[in-house]
């Protein structure tokens, strides 16, 4: 390394991480480099003005990096290096480099290098961000695991094509998922079992996935990845067609939705089906609207799986309250308005809604009613009856986050009539509280939708 400043420091860190032993030549070194050299056995600092003699003395260097702030000197260094057939890199000067440093997405042992040959470093950085998001954080662990088993797999399958099929199943199935979830022992155990089993590997897995409130952009990366591996998908009425579209094309899709009152497939039936499909060796995606653990009966489904020893994972989703509030421009909490927020099941049970109304009418909180459209009149009347002011702001969001979203802003007295007159249809979410006063300033999505 010729140079001793900030830029030299960055490059030195990079090559040191790759295991290089480094000699740096400069008239002055920054404090970090001096500290680093004091601790390191592989970094030596040579306080000296660079001359061609260094290049000869430093033989057998395999790479020379020129990172001084003197462009001409950098180029001279590079020429000297090339004269001795040593690879050279001049920082920010690709024309004078025989080697360039790509941007790296590091999932060691897997590394992705991205380079534009110096033409578009910003574009490279953007691409790198995309890869960082796309490639599971635990990919390195999976690769390392595969590395430890390579010899055994090779011994077991003599045909290359068998080995390929084997690894494909490993990398696209429960073993990979266990590694990504940092359950390395479990992954290793499953991999061991898979090798030992003579017949086709046949342990399925269930992924209980939150599909969010409607907008497919609100899915998590993890949800998308698992959806693209599914053999079978069981989905609800609340799953938007756009979200369902992102499931692997060849997957079998099974609708298990309920319409109010009419239970298409009973809950225990769904629980049972999940177990069966998984035991047959399928990767089963159970796709639910919003978040599976918020009014989603997700807990019941995985309870059955746990009882049957079927392995599963739960992927959180954006719940309707978060999605609808964000897309309607209603912050659920606010320093001046609400210090807490309640998520409430507002559905009627034999014409009644049994809730602790006295608790719900306390000040400085926001109420969010799920499943409240049928009982809307009762909800508003009960809140008024228990002491909320008649002009307490109340909002209803219809089909939130989708391009059919409508937002009705009113108060407890008037909201039901407004909403009925407009013929709003499920799914809808009711929000009550003074945070709604902020909405006229903060609305940003689908603002042209008519609500009158
Ligand atoms: N698990 C889901 C909730 C299921 S209960 C979640 O976390 O969001 C079903 C209720 O969710 C609906 O009655 C409605 O109140 C609400 N909901 C779901 N999606 C919605 C949407 N896009 N817009 C408005 N409300 C929605």
């Amino acid at each position: 390394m010729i140079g001793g400043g900030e830029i030299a420091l960055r490059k030195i860190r990079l090559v040191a991480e790759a295991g290089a032993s480094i000699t740096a030549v400069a008239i002055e070194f920054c404090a970090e480099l001096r500290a680093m050299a004091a601790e390191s056995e592989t970094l030596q600092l040579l306080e000296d003005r660079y001359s061609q003699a260094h290049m000869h003395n430093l033989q057998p260097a395999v790479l020379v990096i020129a990172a001084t702030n003197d462009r001409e000197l950098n180029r001279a260094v590079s020429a000297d290096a090339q004269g001795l057939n040593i690879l050279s890199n001049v920082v920010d000067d690709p024309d004078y480099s025989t080697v360039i440093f790509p941007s790296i997405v590091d999932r060691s042992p897997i590394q992705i290098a991205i380079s534009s040959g110096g033409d578009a470093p910003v574009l490279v950085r953007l691409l790198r961000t995309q890869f960082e998001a796309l490639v599971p954080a635990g990919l390195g662990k999976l690769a390392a695991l595969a590395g430890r088993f390579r010899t055994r797999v090779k011994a077991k399958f003599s045909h290359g094509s068998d080995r390929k099929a084997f690894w494909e199943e490993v990398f696209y199935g429960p073993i990979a998922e266990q590694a990504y979830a940092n359950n390395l022992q479990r992954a290793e155990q499953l991999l061991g079992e898979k090798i030992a089993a003579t017949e086709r590997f046949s342990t399925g897995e269930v992924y209980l996935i939150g599909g969010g409130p409607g907008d497919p952009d609100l899915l998590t990366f993890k949800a998308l990845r698992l959806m693209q591996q599914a053999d079978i998908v069981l989905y609800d009425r609340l799953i938007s067609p756009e979200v369902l579209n992102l499931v692997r094309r060849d997957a079998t899709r099974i609708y298990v939705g309920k319409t109010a009152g009419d239970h298409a497939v009973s809950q225990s039936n769904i629980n049972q089906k999940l177990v069966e499909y998984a035991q047959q060796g399928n990767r089963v995606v159970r796709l639910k609207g919003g978040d599976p653990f918020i009014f989603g009966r997700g807990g019941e489904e995985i309870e059955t799986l746990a009882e049957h020893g079927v392995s599963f994972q739960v992927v959180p989703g954006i719940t309707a309250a978060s999605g609808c509030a964000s897309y309607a421009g209603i912050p659920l909490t606010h320093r001046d308005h609400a210090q807490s927020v309640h998520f409430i099941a507002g559905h009627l049970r034999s014409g009644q809604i049994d809730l602790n109304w006295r608790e719900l009418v306390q000040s400085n909180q926001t109420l969010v009613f799920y499943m409240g459209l049928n009982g809307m009149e009762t909800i508003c009347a009960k809140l008024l009856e228990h002491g909320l002011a008649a002009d307490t702001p109340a909002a209803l969001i219809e089909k939130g986050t989708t391009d059919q979203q409508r937002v009705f802003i009113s108060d407890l007295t008037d909201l039901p009539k407004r909403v009925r007159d407009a013929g709003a249809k499920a799914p809808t979410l009711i929000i009550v509280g003074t945070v709604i006063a902020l909405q006229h300033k903060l609305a940003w999505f689908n603002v042209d939708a008519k609500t009158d």
Side-chain angles (χ1 to χ4, degrees):
M1 164 66 68
I2 313 302
E6 287 291 318
I7 300 172
L9 171 69
R10 239 177 288 148
K11 295 285 182 201
I12 284 179
R13 281 207 179 114
L14 202 69
V15 287
E17 222 165 85
S21 88
I22 307 153
T23 305
V25 180
I27 40 176
E28 204 182 341
F29 291 99
C30 65
E32 286 97 329
L33 273 177
R34 275 185 269 123
M36 196 174 159
E39 302 243 308
S40 157
E41 288 178 3
T42 49
L43 172 61
Q44 286 182 43
L45 306 185
L46 219 81
E47 217 168 282
D48 203 357
R49 189 169 298 278
Y50 169 79
S51 74
Q52 209 174 357
H54 287 117
M55 199 67 77
H56 292 279
N57 296 342
L58 294 177
Q59 288 263 35
V62 289
L63 171 67
V64 170
I65 304 171
T68 73
N69 50 13
D70 178 343
R71 207 175 171 81
E72 291 314 312
L73 174 62
N74 286 346
R75 291 180 174 180
V77 167
S78 182
D80 292 347
Q82 286 176 47
L84 293 170
N85 257 333
I86 303 174
L87 298 173
S88 76
N89 174 266
V90 180
V91 171
D92 278 340
D93 208 349
D95 286 348
Y96 286 82
S97 305
T98 53
V99 164
I100 50 170
F101 288 101
S103 214
I104 293 172
V105 179
D106 188 1
R107 300 287 190 275
S108 293
I110 290 188
Q111 308 226 26
I112 304 173
I114 311 164
S115 159
S116 64
D119 280 346
V122 176
L123 186 60
V124 166
R125 227 171 298 148
L126 290 177
L127 268 175
R128 187 184 147 210
T129 312
Q130 290 179 4
F131 275 111
E132 286 286 1
L134 204 70
V135 180
L139 191 75
K141 290 174 187 151
L142 179 62
L145 177 71
R148 290 198 293 280
F149 278 82
R150 235 186 120 208
T151 323
R152 263 177 78 184
V153 172
K154 223 169 168 172
K156 171 101 189 187
F157 304 101
S158 46
H159 287 293
S161 60
D162 289 346
R163 278 202 299 276
K164 181 165 167 278
F166 176 86
W167 283 120
E168 275 177 4
E169 277 184 31
V170 171
F171 295 144
Y172 274 107
I175 295 174
E177 290 311 322
Q178 292 294 344
Y180 295 157
N182 209 22
N183 296 328
L184 296 180
Q185 278 184 4
R186 176 90 182 119
E188 189 154 345
Q189 180 201 338
L190 285 175
L191 186 48
E193 287 169 9
K194 185 172 165 67
I195 295 170
T198 38
E199 59 299 62
R200 197 182 163 272
F201 187 54
S202 66
T203 307
E205 196 173 29
V206 176
Y207 311 123
L208 178 60
I209 298 179
D215 181 350
D217 276 359
L218 294 180
L219 283 172
T220 60
F221 292 121
K222 186 164 188 182
L224 186 62
R225 181 161 50 76
L226 294 175
M227 283 160 67
Q228 301 212 326
Q229 297 173 17
D231 297 311
I232 300 181
V233 182
L234 285 81
Y235 66 100
D236 277 352
R237 183 170 52 105
L238 281 174
I239 295 301
S240 70
E242 292 81 7
V243 169
L244 194 61
N245 244 335
L246 295 171
V247 166
R248 190 168 72 96
R249 207 175 286 237
D250 301 333
T252 310
R253 287 142 210 245
I254 303 173
Y255 176 72
V256 293
K258 296 159 217 156
T259 41
D262 158 36
H263 288 229
V265 181
S266 78
Q267 187 64 53
S268 65
N269 210 332
I270 294 174
N271 301 351
Q272 210 48 50
K273 278 204 153 79
L274 290 175
V275 172
E276 266 167 42
Y277 292 140
Q279 284 177 342
Q280 288 160 8
N282 293 298
R283 282 158 300 180
V284 186
V285 162
R286 173 71 175 109
L287 196 52
K288 291 178 140 320
D291 182 280
F293 276 8
I294 295 181
F295 305 130
R297 305 188 74 169
E300 299 169 40
E301 296 182 2
I302 57 175
E303 230 176 283
T304 314
L305 295 173
E307 279 161 18
H308 286 78
V310 172
S311 77
F312 59 85
Q313 295 193 46
V314 184
V315 183
I318 291 192
T319 190
S322 299
C324 295
S326 297
Y327 277 53
I330 302 173
L332 291 176
T333 65
H334 188 283
R335 271 197 305 172
D336 303 333
H337 296 272
Q339 275 69 52
S340 72
V341 51
H342 289 230
F343 292 178
I344 305 152
H347 55 292
L348 292 163
R349 282 177 188 238
S350 29
Q352 304 242 338
I353 306 175
D354 195 14
L355 291 169
N356 185 350
W357 297 104
R358 219 169 293 157
E359 184 191 33
L360 298 183
V361 298
Q362 302 302 313
S363 52
N364 293 94
Q365 56 184 7
T366 304
L367 309 179
V368 181
F369 291 92
Y370 286 69
M371 303 169 278
L373 185 59
N374 288 338
M376 175 174 49
E377 284 78 4
T378 312
I379 290 169
C380 293
K382 284 281 184 195
L383 291 173
L384 291 169
E385 189 185 307
H386 284 79
L388 276 189
D391 62 353
T392 304
L396 180 137
I397 298 135
E398 176 189 25
K399 304 197 169 86
T401 80
T402 73
D403 53 14
Q404 298 165 57
Q405 167 174 302
R406 289 197 292 175
V407 180
F408 301 88
I409 302 287
S410 184
D411 57 38
L412 280 179
T413 327
D414 245 14
L415 183 73
K417 184 171 162 11
R418 285 275 316 274
V419 168
R420 296 294 177 220
D421 287 352
K425 299 236 163 44
T428 67
L429 196 81
I430 299 167
I431 301 180
V432 177
T434 55
V435 285
I436 292 167
L438 302 161
Q439 193 267 350
H440 72 278
K441 261 197 281 179
L442 304 183
W444 60 273
F445 175 77
N446 218 15
V447 279
D448 297 333
K450 288 257 177 301
T451 53
D452 293 310

